[in-house]
Amino acid sequence: MPVPGITVDTILRDHEDLQLNLITGEAGLSNRINNAEINRPGLSLTGFFDFFANDRIQILGKGEWAYLNSLSEEKLNEITDKFFEFHLNCIIYTHGNEPQIPFVERAKTKGIPLFKTEIATHRFITLISQILDRALAPRTMRHGVLIEVFGIGTLLTGRSGVGKSETALELIERGHRLVADDMVEIRRLSESYLIGSCSDLLRHHMEIRGLGILNIKDLFGVGSVRDHKLIELIINLKEWEEQTSGDYERTGIEQSTEEILGVSVPYIEIPVKPGRNIPIIVETAAMNQRLRKMGKNSAKEFSNKLNTYIQQNSIETNPVKD
């Protein structure tokens, strides 16, 4: 799926901790950034533009600034002209250094946002990389309810009307926290981590048939909601089918997984029918997942004990004869 971009204006407006001061290039604030990597154009400023990563944010630290200051006026103008021949989304000077006048003039003419920040280069790159990693992470939408149960981000799935929201509501009443209801936005932040969240419009709200739209934060307090959570367990609620009841997991020795955005997430299927307390089962599944993360598998431990018992019993009933 296509990776969404982020505008330069969004970075400036939403992240005051970057301490960005716009020098010129207001016309280019709508430029989109589609690459989470950062470029320090040290080699390019010497005149070598082969493999120049112009699609990235350009960071000019102390080294680049000092080098440009060492150039003659003629050479500086020559390098500046070549540099601005490329399409650039924005340029940022760190350490509070003032951009060279030719850079300011070309940025204004080309409509390329030119910033400076008081933050040191290494620290600034760390901060902005974290922002870009989140903003440009691969993402998808899943129908379900994401809730934090005993610290485990649990995604409840299943067909419409199976009872996902009602189960989540009971879990919230028990002290667990809602992240998203109905539509869950999932982002992959690394090769093995998925973060689930909710849109700004639907955040903290839940739909319960017969009651309508509820504001969970207002009903249960600020401690009943979260804005985002790592997804560590998927529980699919499925209506009980007598003819296939023998197919449901009985031991739990081997754990199934479901792949989302290339990341495998532990997956459990829970049959739903009258008389089954689904919230308690979900709580137990979350606690069991916590144990698995700590390296403790109750099902395997029981299986090992059972095998040991069978072997010992077999020896006692069939002693080896000399």
Side-chain angles (χ1 to χ4, degrees), residues 47-102:
F48 185 80
F49 284 92
D50 292 0
F51 311 109
F52 175 40
N54 64 290
D55 61 327
R56 305 177 187 177
I57 293 178
Q58 306 298 316
I59 304 292
L60 277 70
K62 272 187 177 180
E64 292 85 354
W65 179 78
Y67 171 74
L68 291 175
N69 280 343
S70 71
L71 299 177
S72 65
E73 183 178 348
E74 180 182 356
K75 185 63 175 178
L76 177 59
N77 285 323
E78 178 187 340
I79 291 297
T80 303
D81 288 338
K82 289 182 179 180
F83 189 76
F84 280 89
E85 286 178 0
F86 293 86
H87 174 73
L88 306 170
N89 46 48
C90 69
I91 304 167
I92 302 172
Y93 279 71
T94 58
H95 291 278
N97 292 323
E98 292 291 338
Q100 288 74 19
I101 293 177

Side-chain angles (χ1 to χ4, degrees), residues 215-281:
N215 189 314
I216 299 301
K217 182 179 178 182
D218 290 346
L219 283 173
F220 296 94
V222 69
S224 65
V225 294
R226 286 199 58 158
D227 289 339
H228 52 80
K229 179 63 182 175
L230 182 70
I231 298 176
E232 300 175 88
L233 179 65
I234 299 173
I235 297 181
N236 183 50
L237 302 182
K238 186 176 181 181
E239 290 185 344
W240 184 287
E241 297 178 5
E242 291 294 341
Q243 63 270 28
T244 60
S245 60
D247 298 333
Y248 296 125
E249 182 62 54
R250 298 294 298 273
T251 63
I253 296 177
E254 299 298 330
Q255 188 169 49
S256 300
T257 61
E258 180 176 336
E259 189 172 286
I260 301 177
L261 296 174
V263 178
S264 295
V265 183
Y267 171 89
I268 299 173
E269 189 169 277
I270 295 180
V272 178
K273 72 173 183 178
R276 300 201 86 199
N277 193 323
I278 303 303
I280 286 182
I281 296 175

Side-chain angles (χ1 to χ4, degrees), residues 149-150 152-154 156 171 232-237 255 266-270 277-293:
V149 183
F150 295 125
I152 299 294
T154 305
L156 302 179
L171 289 168
E232 300 175 88
L233 179 65
I234 299 173
I235 297 181
N236 183 50
L237 302 182
Q255 188 169 49
Y267 171 89
I268 299 173
E269 189 169 277
I270 295 180
N277 193 323
I278 303 303
I280 286 182
I281 296 175
V282 172
E283 283 184 328
T284 305
M287 288 189 289
N288 193 48
Q289 180 61 26
R290 286 178 62 180
L291 285 176
R292 286 177 179 266
K293 288 177 60 181

Side-chain angles (χ1 to χ4, degrees), residues 137-196:
R139 64 189 64 196
T140 187
M141 300 295 291
R142 286 292 298 269
H143 176 66
V145 182
L146 179 58
I147 190 165
E148 181 191 64
V149 183
F150 295 125
I152 299 294
T154 305
L155 178 62
L156 302 179
T157 63
R159 72 168 186 80
S160 181
V162 76
K164 300 184 295 296
S165 294
E166 290 79 2
T167 298
L169 187 62
E170 173 66 20
L171 289 168
I172 293 167
E173 199 276 334
R174 290 171 178 266
H176 306 294
R177 299 197 282 181
L178 173 71
V179 181
D181 178 57
D182 191 37
M183 293 303 297
V184 182
E185 181 180 290
I186 302 174
R187 293 174 293 167
R188 189 189 72 201
L189 296 188
S190 71
E191 297 303 316
S192 57
Y193 291 102
L194 297 174
I195 291 289

